[in-house]
C-alpha cells in the first residue's frame, strides 16, 4: 500500500476516473461523458458540495487519492469534488446552460480562498494500493476499522455542543437516566431503549408524556416535572418496556392484545399515541395521587439557578413577550406553577394537565405589535401571526427571518443608522445598539432586549443561529430544524415590539418643526 506522499496539485492536472463505480453502466469513454453521468446522477449533491466549497473551502481532513496512469494523475477518490471544483473555476464547462448559470451564481458568492484550485492529494504507486482505504470509507463501519456514521443521538449532541438550543424530548432521555439511577434494572432498560429507539421518544414525550407529567424546561436544558418520580415509576417502566417490545409480525393475532408495543406503528398519529399512552397511565397509576413531595436537596429535578439563569429569567419577565410565551422559553408556563399549587393544596389530582398553549407560543410573532410598522412589514407580520409554527416549521423559519430583517431595515432607514455591514447580524447589532446604547453593559437600559442580544451575539460567534436563518432563505437544500422558528419567535418578539414603539416616535427635529409651526 505504498504512497509517494502528499502534494497540492492543480485541478487542471487531475483527471476523472473512468472506472469510478459511481458512473455505473454502460462504461464511459471520455471525461466529458463521466462529468455528464455524475451530474445526471448526483447533480443536486454536487451543487450542494460546490456551495460548501465556495463558502468553507475543501475539507482539510480529506486528501484526494490519485494514481499516475499513462502519464495522467487520475483521481480515485474525490471525483465529485473534482467536478464541483472544475465548474466553480470554469462554469462554462458545464454540459447545459442551466448548470452553467447555477455555478456562475455560486462562483459570485465564493468566500473561501482559491485553495480549491490546488487540493491536497495523496499519490499511490498503484490503483490497488488505494483500494483498501477507499473501501474503508465507502463500505461502512465494518468491524470498527471503517467510518462509523453518526446516529440521531450523536447528531443532536453535536448540535447542542456547538451552541444549538437543547430540545425537551431529547433531554427527557437523560432526565430518566439521572432520575432513576438508583434503580439499576430500570436505568439499564432506559439506556437500552435510548440506544435502540432514540427518535421514538419524540412521539412518546411530545404527544402525551409531557402533559401527563407536567414536564418542561425549568431552565435551558434542565427538565422539571410536576409529579413525584417514584410514584410514576410503574408507568415509566411499562412505557420503556413497551418501546423495547418487538412488533408482532401479524397485528391481528389473538395474543397481540395482551402485548404492549409502543412503536412508530402503534403511535402512528397523535390521537392514537394519546389513547395508547393514556391507557398505560390508567393501568399503572389509575387514581393514585402523584403530587410531588416537598423538594429535597438531593432531588435530581431541582437545581439552583446560576447567575446566567437568573438574568435569563429576569430578561423574559421584563420583556414585552406575553407571559405564557416567555415562561415556556425559560422552561414551563405560568399556568404550570398554578396547577402545581392547586394540586398540593387539594391533594386530589391523579395527574397534571397543562392548558393548551396560547397563540403567542404556537403562532409566529403573534404577540408582536405592528401599529407603527410600514404597510408591507405590517402585512407580513399579520401573515406571520396566522402561521402555526409546528405545522409549517420551514415556512415559519423563512418568514421569521424576512419579517425581522424588513422591520430592522425600516428602523435603520428611519433613524439613519449605519450598520458595519449588510449582513443580518450587522443590521440587528445596529438596531439593538440604537434601541439601547447600554446593551453591552452589566445593567442595560432595555433588559427585555438583553436576551435577544446575548443569543444573537453568542451564536454568531459560533456560527449558528443567524447563519441558519440565512440558509433558510438563501439555500434551497437547507432544511430548517423544527425548533428554529420557535427560537426566532422567542428571541425576536421583544425586538420587533421595541422597533414598533421606536417607529412611532417622531424624530426630534420633526417635533420641533411642528411646535414652531403651531406657535406661528
Amino acid at each position: 500500500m505504498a504512497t509517494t506522499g502528499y502534494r497540492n496539485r492543480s485541478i487542471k492536472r487531475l483527471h476523472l476516473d473512468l472506472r469510478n463505480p459511481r458512473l455505473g453502466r454502460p462504461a464511459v469513454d471520455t471525461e466529458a461523458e463521466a462529468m455528464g453521468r455524475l451530474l445526471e446522477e448526483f447533480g443536486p449533491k454536487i451543487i450542494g458540495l460546490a456551495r460548501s466549497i465556495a463558502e468553507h473551502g475543501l475539507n482539510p481532513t480529506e486528501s484526494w487519492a490519485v494514481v499516475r496512469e499513462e502519464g495522467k494523475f487520475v483521481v480515485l477518490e474525490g471525483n465529485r469534488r473534482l467536478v464541483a471544483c472544475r465548474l466553480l473555476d470554469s462554469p462554462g464547462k458545464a454540459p447545459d446552460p442551466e448548470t452553467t448559470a447555477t455555478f456562475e451564481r455560486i462562483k459570485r458568492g465564493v468566500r473561501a480562498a482559491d485553495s480549491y484550485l490546488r487540493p491536497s492529494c495523496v499519490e499511490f504507486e498503484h490503483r490497488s494500493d488505494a483500494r483498501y482505504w477507499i473501501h474503508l470509507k465507502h463500505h461502512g463501519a465494518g468491524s470498527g476499522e471503517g467510518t462509523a456514521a453518526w446516529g440521531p443521538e450523536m447528531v443532536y449532541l453535536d448540535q447542542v455542543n456547538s451552541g444549538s438550543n437543547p430540545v425537551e424530548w431529547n433531554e427527557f432521555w437523560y432526565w430518566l437516566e439521572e432520575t432513576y439511577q438508583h434503580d439499576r434494572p430500570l436505568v439499564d432498560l432506559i439506556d437500552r431503549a435510548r440506544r435502540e429507539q432514540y427518535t421514538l421518544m419524540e412521539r412518546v414525550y411530545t404527544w402525551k408524556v409531557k402533559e401527563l407529567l407536567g414536564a418542561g424546561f425549568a431552565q435551558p436544558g434542565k427538565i422539571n416535572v410536576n409529579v413525584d418520580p417514584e410514584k410514576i415509576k410503574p408507568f415509566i417502566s411499562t412505557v420503556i418496556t413497551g418501546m423495547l417490545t418487538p412488533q408482532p409480525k401479524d397485528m391481528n393475532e389473538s395474543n397481540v392484545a395482551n402485548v404492549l408495543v409502543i412503536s412508530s406503528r402503534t403511535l402512528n398519529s397523535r390521537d392514537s399515541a394519546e389513547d395508547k399512552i393514556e391507557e398505560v397511565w390508567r393501568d399503572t397509576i389509575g387514581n393514585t395521587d402523584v403530587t410531588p413531595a416537598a423538594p429535597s436537596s438531593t432531588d435530581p429535578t431541582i437545581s439552583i439557578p446560576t447567575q446566567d439563569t437568573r438574568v435569563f429569567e429576569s430578561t423574559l419577565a421584563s420583556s414585552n413577550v406575553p407571559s405564557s410565551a416567555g415562561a415556556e422559553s425559560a422552561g414551563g408556563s405560568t399556568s404550570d406553577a398554578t396547577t402545581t399549587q392547586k394540586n398540593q393544596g387539594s391533594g386530589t389530582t391523579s395527574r397534571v394537565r397543562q392548558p393548551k398553549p396560547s397563540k403567542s407560543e404556537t403562532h409566529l410573532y403573534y404577540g408582536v405589535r405592528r401599529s407603527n410598522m410600514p404597510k408591507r412589514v405590517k402585512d407580513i407580520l399579520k401573515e406571520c401571526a396566522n402561521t402555526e409554527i409546528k405545522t409549517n416549521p420551514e415556512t415559519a423559519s423563512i418568514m421569521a427571518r424576512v419579517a425581522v430583517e424588513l422591520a430592522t431595515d425600516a428602523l435603520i432607514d428611519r433613524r439613519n443608522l449605519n450598520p458595519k455591514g449588510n449582513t443580518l447580524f450587522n443590521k440587528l447589532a445596529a438596531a439593538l445598539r440604537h434601541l439601547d446604547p447600554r446593551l453591552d453593559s452589566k445593567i442595560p437600559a432595555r433588559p427585555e432586549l438583553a436576551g435577544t442580544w446575548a443569543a444573537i451575539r453568542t451564536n454568531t460567534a459560533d456560527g449558528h443561529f443567524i447563519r441558519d436563518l440565512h440558509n433558510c432563505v438563501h439555500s434551497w437544500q437547507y432544511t430548517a430544524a423544527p425548533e428554529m422558528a420557535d427560537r426566532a419567535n422567542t428571541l425576536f418578539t421583544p425586538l420587533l415590539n421595541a422597533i414598533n414603539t421606536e417607529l412611532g416616535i417622531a424624530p426630534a427635529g420633526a417635533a420641533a418643526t411642528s411646535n414652531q409651526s403651531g406657535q406661528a
Side-chain angles (χ1 to χ4, degrees):
M1 301 184 185
T3 70
T4 59
Y6 293 80
R7 288 186 59 181
N8 291 91
R9 296 195 180 277
S10 169
I11 60 172
K12 298 183 185 300
R13 297 193 64 196
L14 299 176
H15 296 266
L16 294 171
D17 181 14
L18 303 186
R19 295 160 60 183
N20 184 351
R22 293 189 190 277
L23 298 176
R25 295 284 180 84
V28 299
D29 298 320
T30 67
E31 287 192 62
E33 290 181 80
M35 176 185 287
R37 185 78 60 83
L38 288 171
L39 288 170
E40 181 181 351
E41 295 293 326
F42 309 102
K45 296 293 186 181
I46 291 175
I47 290 171
L49 175 59
R51 293 185 191 278
S52 173
I53 293 171
E55 184 170 356
H56 304 288
L58 289 167
N59 186 343
T61 68
E62 293 185 356
S63 292
W64 300 12
V66 302
V67 64
R68 192 159 190 163
E69 293 180 337
E70 299 179 359
K72 297 179 180 179
F73 289 109
V74 178
V75 176
L76 303 178
E77 177 60 35
N79 282 258
R80 292 188 313 138
R81 282 172 282 176
L82 179 55
V83 171
C85 290
R86 278 183 178 178
L87 296 183
L88 267 180
D89 182 41
S90 303
K93 292 182 178 179
D96 60 83
E98 183 179 352
T99 304
T100 295
T102 298
F103 275 88
E104 285 175 344
R105 287 194 297 270
I106 298 174
K107 185 173 183 177
R108 287 195 293 269
V110 170
R111 299 181 185 177
D114 58 1
S115 58
Y116 68 89
L117 298 177
R118 293 183 58 82
S120 170
C121 299
V122 56
E123 183 180 344
F124 291 85
E125 290 187 4
H126 305 284
R127 180 182 288 263
S128 58
D129 294 333
R131 188 175 181 183
Y132 175 78
W133 304 109
I134 293 174
H135 279 200
L136 284 188
K137 182 172 181 180
H138 294 288
H139 287 208
S143 300
E145 72 278 9
T147 301
W150 281 357
E153 181 180 11
M154 297 177 193
V155 172
Y156 170 70
L157 293 175
D158 176 66
Q159 291 171 341
V160 171
N161 293 338
S162 300
S164 295
N165 273 358
V167 179
E168 279 190 28
W169 72 263
N170 303 75
E171 295 297 328
F172 189 66
W173 279 117
Y174 309 115
W175 178 87
L176 288 171
E177 290 185 331
E178 180 182 357
T179 300
Y180 297 110
Q181 58 185 318
H182 58 281
D183 187 333
R184 193 69 252 172
L186 177 56
V187 85
D188 285 344
L189 279 178
I190 294 168
D191 179 70
R192 180 184 158 201
R194 177 175 57 79
R195 296 175 185 278
E196 297 180 14
Q197 300 287 354
Y198 185 76
T199 57
L200 182 59
M201 183 59 79
E202 181 174 14
R203 299 185 184 195
V204 172
Y205 175 84
T206 306
W207 285 353
K208 195 61 180 178
V209 168
K210 175 181 171 71
E211 174 192 341
L212 292 171
L213 273 56
F217 278 160
Q219 62 188 67
K222 186 69 174 180
I223 292 284
N224 185 61
V225 300
N226 289 334
V227 295
D228 187 327
E230 287 301 311
K231 294 177 181 177
I232 64 165
K233 188 190 289 187
F235 168 74
I236 295 295
S237 179
T238 304
V239 168
I240 295 298
T241 302
M243 293 173 72
L244 290 170
T245 302
Q247 189 83 44
K249 292 182 179 180
D250 184 358
M251 290 297 290
N252 295 319
E253 293 178 1
S254 58
N255 63 342
V256 169
N258 298 321
V259 178
L260 175 65
V261 178
I262 295 180
S263 66
S264 57
R265 186 173 177 181
T266 60
L267 306 186
N268 58 7
S269 69
R270 190 179 191 115
D271 288 342
S272 65
E274 289 180 345
D275 291 344
K276 173 72 70 174
I277 296 173
E278 193 161 20
E279 180 183 349
V280 176
W281 181 275
R282 287 196 302 268
D283 292 343
T284 57
I285 304 300
N287 293 321
T288 303
D289 179 13
V290 295
T291 304
S296 66
S297 59
T298 58
D299 190 336
T301 66
I302 305 299
S303 62
I304 300 174
T306 62
Q307 180 179 358
D308 291 341
T309 304
R310 288 193 292 269
V311 170
F312 179 78
E313 292 169 346
S314 65
T315 297
L316 289 171
S318 60
S319 71
N320 291 326
V321 184
S323 59
S324 59
E328 181 178 359
S329 302
S333 69
T334 52
S335 57
D336 289 350
T338 304
T339 303
T340 303
Q341 290 170 2
K342 288 180 179 179
N343 289 341
Q344 292 173 344
S346 62
T348 59
T349 304
S350 62
R351 58 185 173 186
V352 178
R353 288 187 176 273
Q354 293 179 325
K356 290 184 178 180
S358 66
K359 278 197 170 183
S360 58
E361 299 171 84
T362 60
H363 288 64
L364 183 64
Y365 298 152
Y366 188 85
V368 169
R369 296 185 293 275
R370 48 185 184 267
S371 55
N372 301 317
M373 296 285 188
K375 184 179 184 306
R376 185 185 179 212
V377 182
K378 187 183 298 184
D379 291 343
I380 290 175
L381 286 170
K382 190 180 296 185
E383 288 298 320
C384 289
N386 291 327
T387 302
E388 186 174 6
I389 296 172
K390 186 173 183 179
T391 305
N392 306 285
E394 288 207 87
T395 301
S397 297
I398 293 171
M399 293 178 70
R401 156 68 191 264
V402 171
V404 77
E405 185 163 21
L406 290 178
T408 303
D409 285 342
L411 178 63
I412 289 171
D413 183 65
R414 184 75 61 86
R415 293 292 182 258
N416 296 316
L417 306 181
N418 294 307
K420 292 182 179 179
N422 201 37
T423 65
L424 178 60
F425 171 74
N426 288 324
K427 292 178 181 180
L428 291 171
L432 284 162
R433 288 197 170 102
H434 170 78
L435 293 167
D436 183 3
R438 294 165 50 189
L439 199 63
D440 292 314
S441 67
K442 292 183 179 180
I443 307 177
R446 303 285 295 269
E448 75 273 17
L449 300 178
T452 305
W453 175 232
I456 291 171
R457 180 180 54 192
T458 300
N459 283 294
T460 297
D462 292 339
H464 286 279
F465 185 57
I466 297 301
R467 181 201 65 192
D468 290 345
L469 272 181
H470 175 85
N471 287 336
C472 283
V473 176
H474 295 287
S475 176
W476 66 271
Q477 290 183 313
Y478 184 80
T479 301
E483 67 271 12
M484 180 172 295
D486 269 324
R487 191 176 185 199
N489 189 43
T490 301
L491 288 177
F492 292 141
T493 292
L495 174 60
L496 289 168
N497 280 328
I499 289 176
N500 181 69
T501 300
E502 180 72 9
L503 291 175
I505 302 174
T513 302
S514 175
N515 290 338
Q516 289 170 2
S517 63
Q519 292 171 355

